[in-house]
C-alpha cells in the first residue's frame, strides 16, 4: 500500500505533550527543533500533538511557530503534523456541559472518571478536527490519530481478571464504532482536511490476552471497506450529476426546437438590449460544482502509534511488525518512560552522581534546622514536628530504592512541603496571638502521593509561615520567628528537595544499568537514553520515535542521535 502522505518523515519526531503556548522556553525549543540543517538527514520534520495536550495550548504553540517561521525554519509543506482526538477533559468538558456535543448519542460518550470522558463518534471527531485546525492555523492535518479508543474497554471491563465479563462482545462493539468512524475519516480525506489517519493506542503494547487490548488484525480490512463505501457513494453522486445534466440538456434542446422562430425586431436597439441582457445574465449565473469521483486508489489508514521502550517491547515486536506487513507506518512514543508490569514506572536515562551537598548532608542539615526552630519557637513546634515526620517518610521511601523520576515529577514534593510550612498555626491559649486558626493535616502519606498519576511538577514561590505579631513590647523574639529564621527553613527545605531529587535520579540510573546488565546488554560508554533510542530505531518496523522535547538539551540529544544514524548509514 502506498504511503498516504507523500513527505519523508524524520526518524525522530517532536513529542509535544508538555509544550504549551505562553511558555517562552517552549516556543524557543520548537523553533530550534524545526531549524533546517545543512544535512537533510538531521532535519526533524515530524510534530506529534493532540487536542488535549496542555488543554489545546500545545496545538496553539505549533500554530504560532508555523505561522511565524524564522528564516531557517522548515516550511509547512516540509512538515508532517500529526494530531489526535478522543479525550473530553478541561475545555472539552465545559463544551459538553454547555450542550455543544448534543449531536453525539449519550451512549457514545465513555465516562471513565469524573475528570476524563472519551468519545470517538464521527460528530465529535469533526468538531475536534475543526478546532485542531484552527489552533494549528493550518488547512489540513497530515495525520489524524484516534487517541486511545480502548477507553471504551477500560470503562466497560474494569476488572481485567473478571472472566465473567464478555470481553469479546465489548471488543466487537468498539470495532463497530471504529468502522463507522473510518468511513467518516475517509470523507475528511476527500474534503482535504486530513491526508491520512491512524490509531494511537496504549493497548497496542499489551499482550493480546489483555481485556483492554484493541484487536488490530481486521483494521486494514475495515479501512478498505470504509474507503470502498465512500468511493462508491462519490461515484454514484458523480454519475447522478451527469445523468441529470444530460436530461437537462435534452429538455433544453426539446424546448428550443418546439419554440417558433421570432421575426427580427424592427427596433435594433431593443433587440441588442435584450440580447445583451441575456448574455449578461448567463455570465453571472454560477454553475454548481460537479461532484467528482475520488482519485485515490486505496484507503487512508496509514499509521499506528504505540508505547515502546527497552522494558516494553511487546508492541514493537508484535503489533508494529504486523503493521509493517500491512504497509502501515509505525510511530513509537514513551521511548524513555517505561510503565512495565514487572518493574513499574522507570525512567530510562543516565543521571550523574549527586554533587555537594550530598543527600545525607542536606537531610541532616534540614532536620537540625527544624529541630532548632521548634525548640526555640514554641508556637512553631507542632509545625516543625510535622515537617520532620514528612521528611522522615521521604527518607524511608528513598531507602527502599524503588522511586522513579517519573513518580518524582508527579509528586510535586516541593509544593507539598512548602504548603505544610505555610499553613496557619494553632496557638496555645495565652500565647501572644490574636488568631485561632488550626493546622489542617495533609491527606494521605507522602509515600502514597509519590504513586499518583504523572502531572508536570510546578514550582511555587517561597511561602511565608502564617504567624501573628503584636505591637506590644511583650511580644518578644522568643515567641515570634524572625524573617531570617524562616528564610533559613525555606533554604534548608529547598536544598533537601534538590538533593532528594538528585539521589532518586542516581538510584534509578543504577537500577536500570543493573537491569540491562542482567540482560547481557553492554552500553559500551553510551548513555542509557542514547542506547534506548538507537535500539528502537534499529527495528525495521519502527518508522519514527517520538521524543518529548520540553527543554533545549532534548533537541540537542535528538540531533546527536540523528547524526549517529546518518553516520551509520553512510
Amino acid at each position: 500500500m502506498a504511503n498516504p502522505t507523500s513527505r519523508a518523515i524524520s526518524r525522530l519526531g517532536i513529542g509535544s505533550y508538555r509544550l504549551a503556548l505562553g511558555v517562552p522556553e517552549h516556543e524557543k525549543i520548537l523553533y530550534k527543533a524545526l531549524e533546517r540543517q545543512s544535512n537533510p538527514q538531521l532535519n526533524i520534520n515530524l510534530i506529534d500533538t493532540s487536542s488535549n495536550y496542555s488543554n489545546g495550548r500545545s496545538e496553539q504553540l505549533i500554530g504560532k511557530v508555523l505561522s511565524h517561521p524564522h528564516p531557517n525554519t522548515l516550511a509547512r509543506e516540509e512538515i508532517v503534523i500529526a494530531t489526535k482526538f478522543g479525550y473530553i477533559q478541561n475545555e472539552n468538558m465545559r463544551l459538553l456541559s454547555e450542550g455543544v456535543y448534543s449531536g453525539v448519542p449519550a451512549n457514545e460518550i465513555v465516562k471513565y472518571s469524573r475528570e476524563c470522558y472519551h468519545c470517538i463518534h464521527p460528530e465529535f471527531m469533526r468538531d475536534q478536527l475543526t478546532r485542531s485546525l484552527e489552533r494549528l492555523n493550518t488547512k489540513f492535518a497530515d495525520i489524524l490519530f484516534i487517541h486511545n479508543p480502548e477507553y471504551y474497554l477500560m470503562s466497560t471491563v474494569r476488572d481485567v481478571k473478571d472472566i465473567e465479563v464478555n470481553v469479546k462482545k465489548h471488543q466487537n462493539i468498539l470495532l463497530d464504532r471504529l468502522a463507522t468512524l473510518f468511513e467518516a475519516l475517509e470523507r475528511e480525506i476527500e474534503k482535504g482536511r486530513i491526508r491520512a489517519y491512524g490509531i494511537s493506542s496504549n493497548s497496542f503494547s499489551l499482550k493480546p490476552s489483555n481485556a483492554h487490548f484493541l484487536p488490530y488484525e481486521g483494521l486494514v480490512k475495515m479501512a478498505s471497506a470504509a474507503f470502498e463505501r465512500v468511493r462508491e457513494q462519490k461515484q454514484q453522486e458523480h454519475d447522478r450529476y451527469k445523468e441529470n445534466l444530460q436530461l437537462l440538456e435534452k429538455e433544453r434542446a426539446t424546448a428550443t426546437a418546439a419554440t417558433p422562430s421570432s421575426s427580427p425586431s424592427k427596433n435594433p436597439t431593443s433587440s441588442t438590449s435584450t440580447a445583451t441582457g441575456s448574455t449578461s445574465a448567463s455570465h453571472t449565473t454560477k454553475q454548481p460544482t460537479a461532484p467528482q469521483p475520488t482519485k485515490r486508489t486505496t484507503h487512508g489508514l496509514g499509521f499506528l502509534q504505540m508505547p515502546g521502550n527497552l522494558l516494553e517491547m511487546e508492541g514493537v515486536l508484535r503489533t508494529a511488525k504486523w503493521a509493517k506487513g500491512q504497509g502501515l507506518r509505525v510511530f513509537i512514543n514513551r521511548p524513555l518512560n517505561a510503565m512495565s508490569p514487572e518493574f513499574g514506572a522507570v525512567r530510562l536515562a543516565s543521571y550523574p552522581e549527586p554533587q555537594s551537598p550530598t543527600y545525607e548532608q542536606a537531610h541532616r542539615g534540614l532536620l537540625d534546622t527544624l529541630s532548632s526552630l521548634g525548640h526555640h519557637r514554641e508556637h512553631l513546634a507542632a509545625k516543625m514536628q510535622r515537617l520532620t515526620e514528612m521528611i522522615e517518610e521521604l527518607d524511608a521511601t528513598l531507602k527502599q530504592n524503588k522511586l522513579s523520576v517519573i513518580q518524582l515529577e508527579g509528586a510535586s514534593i516541593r509544593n507539598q512541603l512548602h504548603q505544610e510550612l505555610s499553613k496557619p498555626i494553632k496557638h496555645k491559649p495565652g500565647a501572644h496571638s490574636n488568631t485561632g486558626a488550626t493546622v489542617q493535616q495533609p491527606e494521605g502519606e507522602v509515600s502514597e502521593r509519590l504513586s499518583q498519576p504523572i502531572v508536570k511538577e510546578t514550582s511555587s514561590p517561597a511561602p511565608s509561615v502564617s504567624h501573628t505579631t503584636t505591637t506590644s513590647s511583650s511580644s518578644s523574639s522568643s515567641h515570634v520567628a524572625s524573617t531570617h529564621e524562616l528564610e533559613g527553613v525555606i533554604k534548608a527545605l529547598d536544598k533537601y528537595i534538590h538533593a532528594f531529587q538528585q539521589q532518586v535520579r542516581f538510584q534509578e540510573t543504577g537500577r536500570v544499568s543493573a537491569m540491562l546488565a542482567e540482560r547481557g546488554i553492554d552500553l559500551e560508554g553510551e548513555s542509557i537514553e542514547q542506547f534506548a533510542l538507537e535500539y528502537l530505531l534499529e527495528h525495521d518496523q519502527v518508522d519514527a520515535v517520538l521524543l518529548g522535547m520540553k527543554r533545549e538539551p532534548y533537541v540537542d540529544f535528538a540531533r546527536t542521535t540523528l547524526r549517529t544514524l546518518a553516520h551509520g548509514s553512510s
Side-chain angles (χ1 to χ4, degrees):
M1 185 189 76
N3 175 23
T5 62
S6 58
R7 304 171 196 179
I9 299 177
S10 54
R11 297 300 308 279
L12 289 179
I14 303 166
S16 65
Y17 173 66
R18 292 187 175 180
L19 300 184
L21 182 69
V23 183
E25 183 185 5
H26 293 176
E27 185 173 325
K28 185 178 179 182
I29 288 166
L30 192 53
Y31 274 118
K32 180 171 182 174
L34 293 174
E35 282 179 1
R36 186 184 308 280
Q37 305 296 301
S38 57
N39 180 354
Q41 290 180 294
L42 304 185
N43 286 337
I44 301 174
N45 75 332
L46 172 60
I47 308 175
D48 180 76
T49 186
S50 178
S51 62
N52 71 315
Y53 287 175
S54 297
N55 198 21
R57 291 190 298 135
S58 171
E59 290 180 327
Q60 288 176 324
L61 174 64
I62 295 165
K64 178 182 178 181
V65 168
L66 295 185
S67 301
H68 302 84
H70 290 170
N72 59 347
T73 302
L74 294 174
R76 170 65 181 95
E77 56 268 20
E78 299 174 276
I79 294 171
V80 176
I81 299 177
T83 191
K84 315 181 193 73
F85 84 96
Y87 282 88
I88 301 179
Q89 296 173 303
N90 301 315
E91 177 66 9
N92 278 343
M93 195 70 83
R94 182 185 67 80
L95 295 174
L96 176 66
S97 68
E98 293 176 355
V100 172
Y101 308 131
S102 58
V104 178
N107 67 333
E108 293 272 356
I109 296 177
V110 176
K111 297 181 179 180
Y112 181 71
S113 69
R114 277 184 60 186
E115 297 80 19
C116 180
Y117 291 4
H118 198 273
C119 182
I120 62 170
H121 189 271
E123 187 71 22
F124 182 68
M125 176 274 292
R126 286 186 283 268
D127 172 271
Q128 293 294 282
L129 177 57
T130 298
R131 296 177 190 276
S132 287
L133 294 180
E134 289 175 353
R135 288 189 289 258
L136 291 164
N137 199 18
T138 185
K139 293 181 179 179
F140 67 93
D142 296 275
I143 309 164
L144 180 62
F145 279 109
I146 307 164
H147 204 179
N148 291 330
E150 70 272 15
Y151 263 88
Y152 171 75
L153 299 176
M154 293 162 62
S155 178
T156 54
V157 188
R158 290 285 183 170
D159 185 356
V160 296
K161 298 179 180 179
D162 188 354
I163 60 175
E164 296 180 4
V165 174
N166 189 342
V167 175
K168 192 69 176 177
K169 170 188 171 184
H170 292 298
Q171 287 176 333
N172 287 336
I173 291 174
L174 177 56
L175 290 173
D176 286 343
R177 292 182 177 184
L178 286 172
T180 301
L181 177 59
F182 279 9
E183 186 171 333
L185 289 167
E186 293 289 342
R187 292 187 182 281
E188 292 299 334
I189 294 178
E190 293 299 318
K191 293 176 184 176
R193 299 213 300 168
I194 63 174
R195 296 286 176 86
Y197 61 93
I199 298 178
S200 175
S201 174
N202 291 334
S203 83
F204 288 151
S205 64
L206 302 175
K207 292 183 181 297
S209 58
N210 191 293
H212 297 159
F213 179 78
L214 173 61
Y216 53 73
E217 292 89 347
L219 293 178
V220 172
K221 186 177 180 180
M222 283 168 47
S224 296
F227 168 70
E228 283 302 317
R229 288 194 296 272
V230 171
R231 186 189 65 78
E232 290 174 6
Q233 289 165 4
K234 289 187 69 67
Q235 186 64 51
Q236 290 170 3
E237 291 170 1
H238 177 72
D239 293 343
R240 280 197 300 270
Y241 178 85
K242 289 180 63 177
E243 290 172 3
N244 291 336
L245 193 61
Q246 290 172 355
L247 287 173
L248 183 61
E249 289 174 350
K250 285 181 181 179
E251 289 174 359
R252 286 175 177 169
T254 303
T256 302
T259 303
S261 301
S262 301
S263 300
S265 173
K266 294 181 181 180
N267 187 344
T269 305
S270 173
S271 174
T272 303
S273 174
T274 305
T276 304
S278 173
T279 303
S280 175
S282 67
H283 278 298
T284 57
T285 302
K286 215 172 186 182
Q287 296 295 326
T289 303
Q292 297 297 319
T294 182
K295 296 179 181 179
R296 294 187 293 139
T297 58
T298 188
H299 61 83
L301 175 65
F303 299 85
L304 294 189
Q305 185 181 149
M306 68 201 74
N309 49 67
L310 291 174
L311 302 181
E312 292 178 282
M313 290 298 293
E314 178 70 28
V316 175
L317 299 178
R318 187 190 299 268
T319 311
K321 189 169 288 187
W322 170 86
K324 200 68 173 180
Q326 298 294 318
L328 306 180
R329 303 184 78 170
V330 176
F331 296 165
I332 297 298
N333 58 45
R334 284 206 287 104
L336 305 181
N337 287 347
M339 304 294 179
S340 166
E342 182 180 358
F343 300 104
V346 179
R347 172 66 57 80
L348 301 169
S350 296
Y351 291 99
E353 188 171 355
Q355 302 299 308
S356 179
T358 65
Y359 172 75
E360 289 76 13
Q361 291 170 337
H363 177 238
R364 175 45 52 196
L366 176 57
L367 292 183
D368 288 346
T369 299
L370 296 177
S371 175
S372 176
L373 188 58
H375 177 73
H376 290 95
R377 309 298 180 206
E378 185 179 352
H379 70 289
L380 291 177
K383 181 181 289 292
M384 297 302 104
Q385 179 59 34
R386 176 56 189 152
L387 281 170
T388 298
E389 292 170 359
M390 293 176 72
I391 296 303
E392 294 293 27
E393 289 170 10
L394 284 170
D395 184 62
T397 306
L398 185 66
K399 288 177 178 176
Q400 294 175 10
N401 194 14
K402 294 181 179 179
L403 281 178
S404 168
V405 176
I406 298 172
Q407 295 167 321
L408 189 67
E409 290 175 342
S412 190
I413 296 171
R414 183 178 190 272
N415 284 354
Q416 293 174 26
L417 293 173
H418 278 201
Q419 285 168 9
E420 179 62 33
L421 181 61
S422 62
K423 284 180 179 177
I425 301 166
K426 181 179 180 180
H427 292 272
K428 294 181 180 180
H432 295 272
S433 170
N434 59 5
T435 180
T438 59
V439 178
Q440 298 178 353
Q441 294 301 317
E443 296 179 3
E445 299 298 327
V446 173
S447 58
E448 293 176 357
R449 294 175 190 166
L450 290 172
S451 62
Q452 295 303 306
I454 299 172
V455 294
K456 184 176 180 181
E457 178 166 356
T458 57
S459 60
S460 60
S464 59
V465 176
S466 177
H467 63 279
T468 305
T469 61
T470 68
T471 58
S472 169
S473 60
S474 62
S475 179
S476 66
S477 60
S478 63
H479 293 293
V480 181
S482 68
T483 300
H484 176 73
E485 287 174 318
L486 295 179
E487 287 179 349
V489 173
I490 294 168
K491 187 176 181 180
L493 270 176
D494 287 344
K495 277 186 178 180
Y496 173 78
I497 294 165
H498 178 69
F500 181 87
Q501 292 170 337
Q502 280 192 322
Q503 190 66 21
V504 170
R505 294 186 180 104
F506 184 63
Q507 284 184 351
E508 186 163 38
T509 296
R511 293 199 308 274
V512 173
S513 298
M515 292 178 197
L516 298 179
E518 289 175 4
R519 288 165 170 73
I521 297 174
D522 183 1
L523 296 176
E524 298 180 349
E526 278 190 326
S527 66
I528 295 172
E529 58 268 30
Q530 186 79 32
F531 178 82
L533 280 190
E534 292 177 3
Y535 178 75
L536 288 171
L537 292 169
E538 285 174 359
H539 290 78
D540 293 337
Q541 62 268 37
V542 174
D543 291 280
V545 174
L546 304 171
L547 181 65
M549 299 187 188
K550 60 182 179 179
R551 292 194 299 272
E552 285 196 64
Y554 285 92
V555 180
D556 297 331
F557 170 54
R559 207 80 74 185
T560 299
T561 303
L562 289 174
R563 191 173 290 109
T564 301
L565 292 173
H567 179 73
S569 61
S570 61

